[in-house]
Amino acid sequence: MNEQQLDKAISALAPDVMPERDLWAGIEPQLANRLSKAKPVLWHWATAAMLGLACLVSWQLALLPGIQSSNQASMPTAELMLLQVYETQKANQLRQTVAIAEGFDNWQQQLQVWDQAIAQVRRALELYPDEPQLLAQLQSLYQQQLAYIQRATLQQPLAMS
Amino acid sequence: MQTVTKTRFTGLAAVLLLGLSQLALADDRQSVNESRSVSTNEKIYIEVMSGEIKINAVSSGKFSVVGKLDEKATGYTLDSKDGFTRFEMTMPRQINYNWKDKVNAAELTFEVPVGSSIEFKGVNGNVTVQGIHGSSQIGTVNGDIKATDLRNQVALNTVNGEIKLKGGSGKVELSSVNGKIDDEGSSGRISYDVVNGKVKSNSSADEISVSTVNGDAELELNGTKQLNLSTVNGEIDAKLRGVAQPRVSGSSVSGDIELKLETNVSARFDIKASAGGDIDNKLTSDKASKAKYGPARSLQFSIGSGDGSVELSTVSGDIELDKL
């Protein structure tokens, strides 16, 4: 939910309703009595239902992981799509690496700099999902990292099947 | 008599020492002295793995190479035909080369036509190139590139070296991974690309693009209409003179961006810090506002009729706008 949607939802709520008289004087003496009373039967049923629901959800997630992944796959966020594309490409490039180019001795340390920057942008995306500027920055960082790997490594050509 | 004997002995010792020193400094390097008539817009490819290389432009249709090869070189090849010339210093297949050992490295000076297109490839060595107005594509790994008066298409790149360009023009691409880029007086369309190196530019190019990862950039620009800035952790300090309607865009992750503009600037400003960055505006009295939800800050305002545009964003760095 973005800021505009949240604003709209808040504005749709009823404005504050002020009590007609001071209710606190009547509530305060009853609080001590209420704490000592036994919990109503309805509360037990509600707790049991919640526990049952939690068990059911846990069972589904544990035994049927396909449900989660298929839901995620059917509605991927832009961030997840970017991650999937670039991480796959990065893994392929690294897998095909057969040697390191002259002058790039610290290439792995350098890759970490981009990894840290990518993590930083992703943390910002947690706060502002699908923010276009952050997504563009994420993409740009991945492109820089891939270009660097390309330059720093000598790669085996892909085998044609 | 004693004095004469002593003088003779001293003279003999001096001759012996000189001889020994000559033996120690014996130069086994193969000499090269070649010249060819070529077209004025010749395409020239030069590959010299190591050494000190000079490439100078001359007004005649001539290609020449003079100097000495690396002591480990097995020879050289030179082919010149149909507008294409290729020179290569050949090296053994397996070579254990210490690039810091420059005593017996190659020293070659090339002369090429002004209008030629040059492609140079090296690994360990410094390159000095001047006056080429066709195109220049110079690449080395562990070495510096010094260039003067290169025009049209210019691409200089090194990994662990410094690039110094004076008077470049046209489409110019300068790239160093760990070294510094120093550009003086360039014009046209310029791009600077460094990972850990620094960028120092004094340019009047119309369009400039700067990309750094950890390196800082110090830009003194005059008349630059379009400026694109990108850094991950570096600091960018840009002064933009002589332009009232600039088009500036930029982004950083945790690096800072400081942009100084003319007092008569007319532009719309859109500045954003997503997660923890600060925005400091000294151009007007407008202040950044904090988002209702989350740590983002943003600032939008216009000066004059808002003809230009300045769009800068950061995740956690600082952005400062100021007058020159």
Side-chain angles (χ1 to χ4, degrees), chain B residues 149-166:
Chain B
D149 185 26
L150 302 184
R151 299 188 196 173
N152 273 326
Q153 301 273 333
V154 181
L156 311 179
N157 69 79
T158 176
V159 178
N160 296 313
E162 187 177 323
I163 296 176
K164 268 191 180 180
L165 174 64
K166 208 168 181 181

Side-chain angles (χ1 to χ4, degrees), chain A residues 3 6-7 10 102-104 106 110 113-114 117 120-121 124 127-128 131 133-134 137 140-141 144 148 151, chain B residues 123 141-142 158-160 175 177 195-196 213-214 232-233 252-253 272 274 291-296 315-316:
Chain A
E3 284 194 10
L6 197 55
D7 281 339
I10 290 167
E102 180 82 30
F104 286 90
N106 67 340
Q110 194 58 54
V113 174
W114 275 293
Q120 204 173 342
V121 175
L127 297 165
Y128 305 104
E131 162 71 40
Q133 276 176 341
L134 291 172
Q137 207 159 21
S140 165
L141 289 169
Q144 283 180 7
Y148 182 83
R151 199 171 168 191
Chain B
V123 178
V141 178
N142 299 312
T158 176
V159 178
N160 296 313
S175 156
V177 176
V195 176
N196 299 312
V213 178
N214 288 324
V232 177
N233 300 320
S252 87
V253 178
K272 190 163 186 181
S274 305
K292 273 186 184 172
Y293 314 106
V315 177
S316 61

Side-chain angles (χ1 to χ4, degrees), chain A residues 85-133:
Chain A
V85 168
Y86 284 107
E87 287 294 342
T88 308
Q89 211 172 329
K90 192 163 88 178
N92 284 340
Q93 282 195 354
L94 293 174
R95 200 167 44 241
Q96 289 161 32
T97 297
V98 287
I100 305 306
E102 180 82 30
F104 286 90
D105 300 335
N106 67 340
W107 71 288
Q108 281 175 315
Q109 279 173 301
Q110 194 58 54
L111 291 191
Q112 283 173 8
V113 174
W114 275 293
D115 286 339
Q116 284 162 5
I118 286 165
Q120 204 173 342
V121 175
R122 289 193 66 200
R123 280 197 294 276
L125 275 164
E126 282 173 17
L127 297 165
Y128 305 104
D130 292 345
E131 162 71 40
Q133 276 176 341

Side-chain angles (χ1 to χ4, degrees), chain A residues 8-151:
Chain A
K8 202 174 170 185
I10 290 167
S11 64
L13 292 172
D16 291 346
V17 179
M18 298 299 292
E20 290 175 357
R21 60 188 174 84
D22 183 12
L23 300 172
W24 182 246
I27 294 167
E28 196 175 17
Q30 291 185 33
L31 283 175
N33 296 337
R34 193 184 172 90
L35 285 170
S36 61
K37 280 179 189 171
K39 288 177 183 173
V41 179
L42 191 63
W43 177 248
H44 289 293
W45 280 110
T47 310
M50 277 171 66
L51 281 170
L53 188 65
C55 289
L56 185 69
V57 170
S58 307
W59 173 74
Q60 282 211 327
L61 289 176
L63 297 180
L64 304 168
I67 291 175
Q68 192 187 17
S69 58
S70 66
N71 285 344
Q72 211 171 52
S74 64
M75 279 197 307
T77 64
E79 183 191 351
L80 281 175
M81 282 172 71
L82 276 176
L83 287 182
Q84 204 171 14
V85 168
Y86 284 107
E87 287 294 342
T88 308
Q89 211 172 329
K90 192 163 88 178
N92 284 340
Q93 282 195 354
L94 293 174
R95 200 167 44 241
Q96 289 161 32
T97 297
V98 287
I100 305 306
E102 180 82 30
F104 286 90
D105 300 335
N106 67 340
W107 71 288
Q108 281 175 315
Q109 279 173 301
Q110 194 58 54
L111 291 191
Q112 283 173 8
V113 174
W114 275 293
D115 286 339
Q116 284 162 5
I118 286 165
Q120 204 173 342
V121 175
R122 289 193 66 200
R123 280 197 294 276
L125 275 164
E126 282 173 17
L127 297 165
Y128 305 104
D130 292 345
E131 162 71 40
Q133 276 176 341
L134 291 172
L135 288 171
Q137 207 159 21
L138 189 66
Q139 189 169 9
S140 165
L141 289 169
Y142 268 120
Q143 283 171 346
Q144 283 180 7
Q145 195 182 33
L146 289 178
Y148 182 83
I149 294 172
Q150 191 79 37
R151 199 171 168 191

Side-chain angles (χ1 to χ4, degrees), chain B:
Chain B
M1 185 68 183
Q2 230 176 6
T3 312
V4 173
T5 312
K6 198 174 177 182
T7 309
R8 278 184 185 165
F9 181 75
T10 311
L12 191 64
V15 169
L16 272 171
L17 274 174
L18 187 67
L20 281 171
S21 67
Q22 288 298 311
L23 272 175
L25 295 172
D27 191 348
D28 294 334
R29 295 179 298 174
Q30 182 183 342
S31 294
V32 183
N33 189 352
E34 296 272 7
S35 182
R36 299 283 187 279
S37 287
V38 296
S39 62
T40 52
N41 59 354
E42 188 84 355
K43 282 187 84 71
I44 297 169
Y45 178 84
I46 300 169
E47 189 176 315
V48 180
M49 187 176 155
S50 61
E52 295 289 324
I53 309 303
K54 287 181 184 161
I55 305 171
N56 299 322
V58 290
S59 54
S60 60
K62 179 184 118 179
F63 169 90
S64 73
V65 50
V66 176
K68 292 189 171 181
L69 301 181
D70 188 293
E71 70 169 354
K72 295 188 175 79
T74 55
Y76 65 90
T77 58
L78 173 61
D79 299 313
S80 185
K81 195 180 167 188
D82 301 332
F84 293 86
T85 296
R86 180 187 174 93
F87 176 90
E88 186 181 346
M89 181 174 81
T90 51
M91 301 293 282
R93 246 173 218 284
Q94 296 285 330
I95 183 166
N96 185 13
Y97 199 91
N98 180 2
W99 69 279
K100 285 172 185 163
D101 177 18
K102 292 176 180 173
V103 178
N104 288 321
E107 284 176 71
L108 295 169
T109 301
F110 295 85
E111 285 187 341
V112 299
V114 171
S116 57
S117 294
I118 302 293
E119 184 179 352
F120 172 86
K121 276 189 185 169
V123 178
N124 302 307
N126 303 319
V127 189
T128 305
V129 53
Q130 66 90 20
I132 293 161
H133 297 172
S135 74
S136 316
Q137 200 180 331
I138 311 291
T140 183
V141 178
N142 299 312
D144 300 337
I145 300 173
K146 280 184 193 167
T148 313
D149 185 26
L150 302 184
R151 299 188 196 173
N152 273 326
Q153 301 273 333
V154 181
L156 311 179
N157 69 79
T158 176
V159 178
N160 296 313
E162 187 177 323
I163 296 176
K164 268 191 180 180
L165 174 64
K166 208 168 181 181
S169 67
K171 188 183 175 208
V172 181
E173 294 172 359
L174 308 179
S175 156
S176 175
V177 176
N178 297 316
K180 182 183 172 186
I181 291 177
D182 192 343
D183 175 23
E184 179 75 36
S186 62
S187 59
R189 282 190 295 158
I190 317 288
S191 75
Y192 308 110
D193 196 341
V194 292
V195 176
N196 299 312
K198 289 185 177 180
V199 177
K200 190 176 178 199
S201 166
N202 193 332
S203 172
S204 57
D206 284 342
E207 291 177 29
I208 292 185
S209 172
V210 184
S211 170
T212 87
V213 178
N214 288 324
D216 300 339
E218 197 182 320
L219 313 169
E220 294 264 358
L221 310 177
N222 199 341
T224 299
K225 296 178 183 74
Q226 202 164 321
L227 176 62
N228 183 267
L229 309 168
S230 163
T231 183
V232 177
N233 300 320
E235 289 185 13
I236 295 181
D237 182 355
K239 295 183 178 76
L240 191 45
R241 293 178 200 280
V243 176
Q245 298 154 17
R247 297 209 159 264
V248 183
S249 63
S251 69
S252 87
V253 178
S254 58
D256 301 340
I257 298 176
E258 185 182 338
L259 178 65
K260 289 189 177 171
L261 299 167
E262 291 284 13
T263 45
N264 65 343
V265 69
S266 165
R268 291 180 202 280
F269 293 78
D270 186 355
I271 317 296
K272 190 163 186 181
S274 305
D278 274 342
I279 298 171
D280 186 6
N281 174 26
K282 291 175 182 163
L283 286 173
T284 64
S285 57
D286 299 279
K287 299 286 175 205
S289 58
K290 196 173 175 305
K292 273 186 184 172
Y293 314 106
R297 290 172 190 276
S298 63
L299 172 63
Q300 290 178 329
F301 65 98
S302 292
I303 300 180
S305 48
D307 301 311
S309 79
V310 176
E311 292 177 10
L312 299 173
S313 69
T314 180
V315 177
S316 61
D318 297 340
I319 294 177
E320 186 180 325
L321 302 170
D322 205 348
K323 293 170 195 165
L324 281 166

